[in-house]
Amino acid sequence: MGLFSALLVGLCALGARADILSGMPDAAPPGYEEWMSPLVLPAKTVTGDGPWASAVARARQFVANLTLEEKVNLTTGAGTDNRCVGNTGSIPRLNFTSFCLEDSPLGVRFTDFASAFPAGINVAMTWDKQMMYDRGYAMGQEHYGKGVNMALGPMTNMGRVQAGGRNWEGFGGDPYLSGWATYQTVSGMQAAGVIATVKHYIGNEQEHYRGGGGAYQVYSSNIDDRTMHEIYAWPFAEAVRAGVGSVMCSYNKINQTQACQNSKTLNGILKEELDFQGFIMSDWTAIIDGPDSVLAGTDMNMPGFMAYGQPEEHDPATAMYGYWGYNLIQMVYNGTVPESRVDDMATRIMAAYYKMGQDKNYPAVNFDQTTEDTYVNGVLVNEHVNVMGTHGQTIREIGAASTIVLKNTGVLPIDVTKYKHYGIFGSDAGPNPDGPNGCSDRGCDQGTLAMGWGSGSANFPYLIDPLAAITSFVYSKEPDTVLEGILNDYNYAAINQVASQADICLVFANADSGEGYITVDNNAGDRNNLTLWHGGEAIVNASTAYCNNTIVVLHTSGAVTLEEWVDNENVTAVLYSALPGQESGNSLVDVLFGAVTPSGKLPYTIAKQRSDYPADVVYTSDQTTPQITYEEALKIDYRWFDSLGIEPRYPFGFGLSYTTFEYSELSIWEVGLYDQYPYSNASSLVAPGGPTDLFYTAFGVSFHVTNTGSRDGAEVSQLYLGFPESAGEPPKVLRGFEKTFIKSQNTATVVLGLLKHDISIWDVISQSWVVPSGTFTVMIGSSSRDIRLNGTFVV
Ligand SMILES: *[C@@H]1O[C@H](CO)[C@@H](O)[C@H](O)[C@H]1NC(C)=O
Ligand SMILES: *[C@@H]1O[C@H](CO)[C@@H](O)[C@H](O)[C@H]1NC(C)=O
Ligand SMILES: *[C@@H]1O[C@H](CO)[C@@H](O)[C@H](O)[C@H]1NC(C)=O
Ligand SMILES: *[C@@H]1O[C@H](CO)[C@@H](O)[C@H](O)[C@H]1NC(C)=O
Ligand SMILES: *[C@@H]1O[C@H](CO)[C@@H](O)[C@H](O)[C@H]1NC(C)=O
Ligand SMILES: *[C@@H]1O[C@H](CO)[C@@H](O)[C@H](O)[C@H]1NC(C)=O
Ligand SMILES: *[C@@H]1O[C@H](CO)[C@@H](O)[C@H](O)[C@H]1NC(C)=O
Ligand SMILES: *[C@@H]1O[C@H](CO)[C@@H](O)[C@H](O)[C@H]1NC(C)=O
Ligand SMILES: *[C@@H]1O[C@H](CO)[C@@H](O)[C@H](O)[C@H]1NC(C)=O
Ligand SMILES: *[C@@H]1O[C@H](CO)[C@@H](O)[C@H](O)[C@H]1NC(C)=O
Ligand SMILES: *[C@@H]1O[C@H](CO)[C@@H](O)[C@H](O)[C@H]1NC(C)=O
């Protein structure tokens, strides 16, 4: 059946008219004909499955009492000139105020007395499930305290291209690790009462041509069905399983169809397969057609107006006359959209509200994202409510736990009694001369880098820079020390001079990226290269030329290439700190001087050269819809390096410790639940996240880890699975990990469960997860390239 006839069948099934196909979908350019999205209609109505039963029942009752206009008001944004970045309409008749929607995935954006948490990528670098939850909970508390109903995070797009501008907001290059980080973050945030919004659904892996705001060229992410399920949708499925209230559809297209109008991804994968019970919210101006977006499954239109720069953008009264609002009422009146669809949209929104308990004394909004002034026209808009609690301590701990030691010839941990003269080089060691919030949305790279730029940012309440933290620590221990910081990145003569005198040197360098609406040093969101900014390599050279004990500390938004200098014998250590948030310097000091034994591990591969990676940013295109085909398919990140036998500089999962661990006594057993839940019955047991039998443990795995060194420390044990040859999987895929704190000379037993989901592959023909039969290999290691134990099981 051709797409056109499929379209007609779908629409006729709905009783809708064929002339609504205006915005659906673009014709595929020659050579891309197979990359088209099928129609999946109608949108599935919320069922109240699993833990959603009472919330959905209450939502239904509430919605049953509303007029069409009131229901539409819940679904449509009222512009961005209000107190939050997104604000729905209100229901004055019931004294029901509008919902407040606010960024970001690392804190509350556009306010004060709120924390700047480590970026998503840092919590992935900890590989610590509890920290993932704790960070989510603390952020949830802050959003709650500010009166935010819906927090716009976590972001869980995959780090498919290393230069991708927003990779740092997410959790790296592996869906299983990202899945855990997403599940725990959502669980934590929502336990604090705020509705989490997992984003950007889906295929939003680069900034160039990502669309939005009426952009002319918008890329199409062409993702095959199996790769969609096994890689890109996996973390979103985990969010749904965690009970996420909201999913944000993205700006880009998937298979030629706009993400917020793609019935296959929204109705099909999210609402049918994954049994999603919450609501789908559009990214800001991601909707470009009224009926298509509604019928395809989007439930909330943000921020309400059609495009930035239009008169309605700054007119809250008419913002609701965008594609929805008044027009949604028209769509019901003229028969394009059944009123039952609007009922379902409003019910899903209210279900999330009841599920999170927001009907019980939820705090009112007490800040204003448009101004820091306390009063506007005599009206109190900013109460400056302090929501930080003791989160600074949590932030410091996550920062230290996420710090990855890549190289250490023995200088670390620094013995503070041993050195008399420190040289500290690079602007990344010090403060931003314009202040920690000197650049709007952190859209510059000045001073130490602790956060990327764009809507994924927040204001710093303070920022402890490395130079200040090291100075304060060293002088508290060893007052008779010389410590010289040079923050000018280009004064090589001064650096040479100090380096020649110092007995320990620390070079700080960074690489920044962010969201595409801000360009920094010619980088339009995505990075142009994988090298260091501000001539970082030259600073390293200027130090190593004279200082045989040079420690390099990197604050980067993604992988950088290190080949020019990493093997230099005078580089005695390399620390990878990414974007640690407000306690940056303190977190670093904790690791540098040994208060904390490092345990961070890479959430992506660091290659020897950029061309070793499987995919890259598409920077230029003359197509109206630039085609980004995910040709590497399942072979994202380390799976590519393993499949092609490419030697990375530092593999996925790598990170050094100050102690040593030995692994022993692997055992594997079948749990047996697997037989009790035959696959063919899966559809009768569906719950949010997918068929319930997928989440029973099929096999148990245990092994011992012994801390054989002299320091206490934590080890991240990793389980990689090798599928039977016939399954067509990459050589190994991450399917388990656990971070275990083990005292020196002690042994811990690590027990991991392999869920049925973990040993399944997505079968395109049957459109279901199936367990391939054959021999599976269980590889337990300290990184993806440091496998310590091997075992097998047979299915
Ligand atoms: C995109 O097209 C590919 C190739 O035909 C197909 O496997 C996949 O299911 C499609 N995905 C969507 C969301 O349309
Ligand atoms: C619906 O409205 C009726 C009449 O106004 C009222 O009695 C009832 O409590 C309302 N129900 C809900 C769930 O608001
Ligand atoms: C819809 O929301 C707007 C903005 O809050 C409000 O002014 C208007 O009265 C609401 N309409 C209805 C029918 O409740
Ligand atoms: C409406 O809500 C406000 C704020 O919660 C409250 O002060 C007021 O008393 C309410 N009015 C009615 C009529 O319920
Ligand atoms: C129905 O109304 C909507 C919203 O105004 C409009 O986009 C659509 O073209 C209309 N359809 C028909 C068949 O009139
Ligand atoms: C890479 O980009 C950064 C930031 O724009 C720039 O400072 C640096 O010079 C670039 N590197 C190369 C090798 O061009
Ligand atoms: C740094 O030194 C290495 C090794 O000598 C050299 O290959 C590289 O070009 C130098 N880089 C810069 C920016 O000076
Ligand atoms: C290492 O440092 C020493 C000074 O201690 C210097 O003489 C030597 O050239 C440096 N080596 C390299 C490879 O930079
Ligand atoms: C650096 O050079 C000094 C002086 O030659 C030497 O004592 C020291 O051991 C060297 N340090 C390293 C880390 O090689
Ligand atoms: C599977 O489903 C069939 C048909 O609904 C039912 O007869 C059978 O008992 C189910 N089996 C199990 C193990 O639940
Ligand atoms: C386990 O198997 C992997 C992959 O075949 C191999 O590289 C590794 O050396 C093996 N390790 C042990 C401890 O047997």
Side-chain angles (χ1 to χ4, degrees):
M1 185 160 55
L3 182 91
F4 187 72
S5 44
L7 193 62
L8 287 180
V9 170
L11 294 176
C12 292
L14 254 185
R17 296 171 48 165
D19 55 6
I20 66 163
L21 31 91
S22 52
M24 279 206 190
D26 284 1
Y32 293 91
E33 290 82 0
E34 66 177 299
W35 301 103
M36 294 292 286
S37 273
L39 277 186
V40 180
L41 296 171
K44 187 181 170 189
T45 305
V46 68
T47 53
D49 282 345
W52 285 80
S54 87
V56 169
R58 294 181 68 192
R60 284 206 178 100
Q61 274 178 25
F62 181 84
V63 170
N65 261 6
L66 304 183
T67 65
L68 177 60
E69 288 78 359
E70 289 166 343
K71 287 181 277 197
V72 165
N73 249 14
L74 290 174
T75 69
T76 304
T80 53
D81 287 339
N82 301 291
R83 292 176 73 171
C84 303
V85 298
N87 313 267
T88 60
S90 59
I91 308 178
R93 181 175 67 88
L94 301 178
N95 202 19
F96 196 86
T97 52
S98 50
F99 290 126
C100 164
L101 289 70
E102 189 63 33
D103 295 309
S104 79
L106 57 62
V108 190
R109 187 183 177 206
F110 290 140
T111 187
D112 52 15
F113 296 96
S115 305
F117 286 85
I121 199 67
N122 281 72
V123 84
M125 288 156 70
T126 70
W127 296 61
D128 185 320
K129 294 168 187 171
Q130 186 63 45
M131 276 188 176
M132 292 168 179
Y133 181 91
D134 293 346
R135 173 176 169 278
Y137 187 72
M139 293 194 303
Q141 285 181 310
E142 298 205 4
H143 280 282
Y144 174 94
K146 291 284 183 185
V148 174
N149 298 93
M150 293 147 195
L152 306 179
M155 126 84 193
T156 194
N157 293 119
M158 297 298 302
R160 173 178 181 262
V161 290
Q162 294 306 316
R166 300 183 74 176
N167 287 2
W168 56 274
E169 296 183 43
F171 305 118
D174 178 85
Y176 184 86
L177 176 60
S178 298
W180 263 104
T182 304
Y183 185 99
Q184 295 295 79
T185 304
V186 167
S187 300
M189 287 172 74
Q190 295 196 155
V194 71
I195 296 168
T197 306
V198 66
K199 65 189 188 181
H200 310 85
Y201 190 74
I202 195 168
N204 188 179
E205 266 80 33
Q206 70 164 52
E207 288 298 284
H208 283 76
Y209 308 121
R210 68 139 189 207
Y216 172 60
Q217 281 175 293
V218 180
Y219 65 77
S220 171
S221 290
N222 303 327
I223 309 176
D224 72 78
D225 195 39
R226 179 166 173 185
T227 301
M228 175 65 91
H229 284 82
E230 294 190 22
I231 310 285
Y232 296 91
W234 182 294
F236 288 94
E238 286 297 291
V240 174
R241 191 157 75 93
V244 76
S246 172
V247 175
M248 183 191 288
C249 50
S250 53
Y251 285 122
N252 56 286
K253 302 175 186 193
I254 304 103
N255 285 6
Q256 323 309 329
T257 301
Q258 205 67 39
C260 294
Q261 298 171 193
N262 192 313
S263 65
K264 168 68 180 169
T265 53
L266 304 179
N267 288 340
I269 297 177
L270 208 46
K271 289 185 176 174
E272 289 182 11
E273 279 175 33
L274 298 178
D275 200 28
F276 175 52
Q277 302 286 311
F279 64 97
I280 298 171
M281 167 204 302
S282 77
D283 205 337
W284 270 229
T285 70
I287 283 175
I288 59 163
D289 181 275
D292 291 351
S293 54
V294 173
L295 296 175
T298 303
D299 304 298
M300 183 184 277
N301 181 352
M302 279 291 149
F305 53 78
M306 289 184 184
Y308 288 102
Q310 301 300 310
E312 53 172 356
E313 180 188 343
H314 297 295
D315 183 354
T318 56
M320 293 186 71
Y321 291 78
Y323 291 108
W324 292 18
Y326 169 81
N327 278 313
L328 181 50
I329 296 168
Q330 283 304 305
M331 289 179 232
V332 173
Y333 287 162
N334 74 15
T336 312
V337 166
E339 186 163 358
S340 60
R341 173 76 190 103
V342 180
D343 290 342
D344 191 53
M345 295 157 80
T347 304
R348 286 173 174 276
I349 293 164
M350 292 307 298
Y353 166 85
Y354 287 118
K355 179 87 172 11
M356 265 35 95
Q358 295 197 351
D359 53 318
K360 300 182 201 85
N361 301 317
Y362 205 79
V365 180
N366 53 47
F367 70 104
D368 187 327
Q369 56 115 10
T370 65
T371 177
E372 288 173 9
D373 294 347
T374 306
Y375 293 94
V376 172
N377 300 326
V379 177
L380 176 64
V381 292
N382 275 316
E383 294 169 37
H384 309 289
V385 174
N386 184 350
V387 293
M388 297 188 286
T390 57
H391 299 160
Q393 185 58 29
T394 309
I395 291 167
R396 179 172 182 162
E397 287 168 12
I398 296 172
S402 64
T403 303
I404 302 173
V405 175
L406 292 177
K407 178 177 179 180
N408 182 14
T409 60
V411 61
L412 299 181
I414 298 171
D415 177 355
V416 73
T417 64
K418 201 169 150 186
Y419 301 103
K420 287 287 159 244
H421 193 156
Y422 289 73
I424 297 185
F425 311 128
S427 60
D428 184 70
N432 178 345
D434 294 326
N437 302 312
C439 316
S440 166
D441 282 340
R442 312 294 78 74
C444 65
D445 185 29
Q446 295 173 185
T448 197
L449 185 66
M451 189 186 292
W453 75 74
S455 67
S457 65
N459 289 340
F460 287 103
Y462 60 85
L463 173 52
I464 307 289
D465 63 76
L467 179 57
I470 293 169
T471 305
S472 137
F473 178 84
V474 168
Y475 285 103
S476 74
K477 303 287 182 191
E478 293 292 323
D480 301 325
T481 304
V482 172
L483 195 154
E484 297 182 81
I486 298 175
L487 301 181
N488 182 338
D489 292 312
Y490 304 98
N491 193 342
Y492 305 121
I495 293 171
N496 290 161
Q497 171 59 30
V498 171
S500 70
Q501 299 303 312
D503 49 11
I504 185 164
C505 302
L506 291 108
V507 172
F508 287 82
N510 66 36
D512 200 357
S513 71
E515 194 172 359
Y517 67 87
I518 299 175
T519 293
V520 179
D521 197 22
N522 288 323
N523 296 264
D526 304 316
R527 281 182 289 158
N528 293 331
N529 61 49
L530 299 187
T531 57
L532 297 169
W533 290 35
H534 307 290
E537 290 84 0
I539 307 172
V540 175
N541 282 4
S543 178
T544 52
Y546 294 91
C547 179
N548 67 352
N549 187 16
T550 297
I551 297 170
V552 180
V553 180
L554 300 173
H555 291 115
T556 67
S557 61
V560 285
T561 47
L562 315 171
E563 297 308 299
E564 270 188 34
W565 50 266
V566 74
D567 279 336
N568 184 315
E569 62 190 5
N570 289 351
V571 172
T572 49
V574 179
L575 291 96
Y576 206 66
S577 297
L579 306 170
Q582 71 194 35
E583 288 281 335
S584 177
N586 287 335
S587 300
L588 180 69
V589 160
D590 289 346
V591 174
L592 275 179
F593 295 94
V596 170
T597 302
S599 57
K601 303 272 190 176
L602 284 173
Y604 47 72
T605 301
I606 297 183
K608 290 186 174 170
Q609 52 186 350
R610 184 175 188 172
S611 56
D612 286 347
Y613 287 109
D616 211 330
V617 172
V618 171
Y619 292 98
T620 56
S621 174
D622 48 20
Q623 292 172 304
T624 313
T625 302
Q627 301 292 310
I628 301 186
T629 302
Y630 289 30
E631 278 164 6
E632 74 290 351
L634 301 177
K635 296 198 280 284
I636 187 172
D637 205 87
Y638 63 93
R639 301 153 183 244
W640 175 262
F641 290 78
D642 286 350
S643 300
L644 276 74
I646 301 169
E647 200 59 38
R649 166 52 67 172
Y650 294 114
F652 177 86
F654 175 80
L656 298 171
S657 176
Y658 297 159
T659 185
T660 50
F661 298 98
E662 274 175 19
Y663 288 67
S664 60
E665 311 224 13
L666 174 63
S667 75
I668 303 171
W669 64 96
E670 186 168 346
V671 175
L673 276 170
Y674 168 73
D675 288 331
Q676 265 173 266
Y677 295 89
Y679 220 70
S680 52
N681 280 26
S683 57
S684 60
L685 295 162
V686 76
T692 51
D693 68 328
L694 283 178
F695 303 101
Y696 288 106
T697 304
F699 288 89
V701 175
S702 79
F703 49 90
H704 289 175
V705 183
T706 303
N707 181 342
T708 51
S710 55
R711 302 178 69 92
D712 301 344
E715 168 73 333
V716 177
S717 313
Q718 301 158 40
L719 186 165
Y720 295 89
L721 198 61
F723 278 77
E725 190 83 27
S726 62
E729 288 288 312
K732 60 171 110 67
V733 299
L734 182 72
R735 283 294 189 260
F737 65 88
E738 196 62 52
K739 187 166 198 164
T740 317
F741 183 83
I742 309 169
K743 285 194 172 311
S744 167
Q745 302 304 320
N746 280 39
T747 296
T749 304
V750 178
V751 182
L752 298 172
L754 284 167
L755 307 181
K756 195 163 165 185
H757 198 208
D758 300 331
I759 62 169
S760 299
I761 62 171
W762 179 255
D763 181 55
V764 173
I765 305 297
S766 69
Q767 286 290 295
S768 65
W769 294 94
V770 297
V771 181
S773 49
T775 301
F776 288 75
T777 312
V778 173
M779 292 165 265
I780 306 295
S782 186
S783 88
S784 65
R785 292 269 175 135
D786 182 8
I787 302 301
R788 307 288 185 85
L789 302 169
N790 286 328
T792 59
F793 62 83
V794 178
V795 172

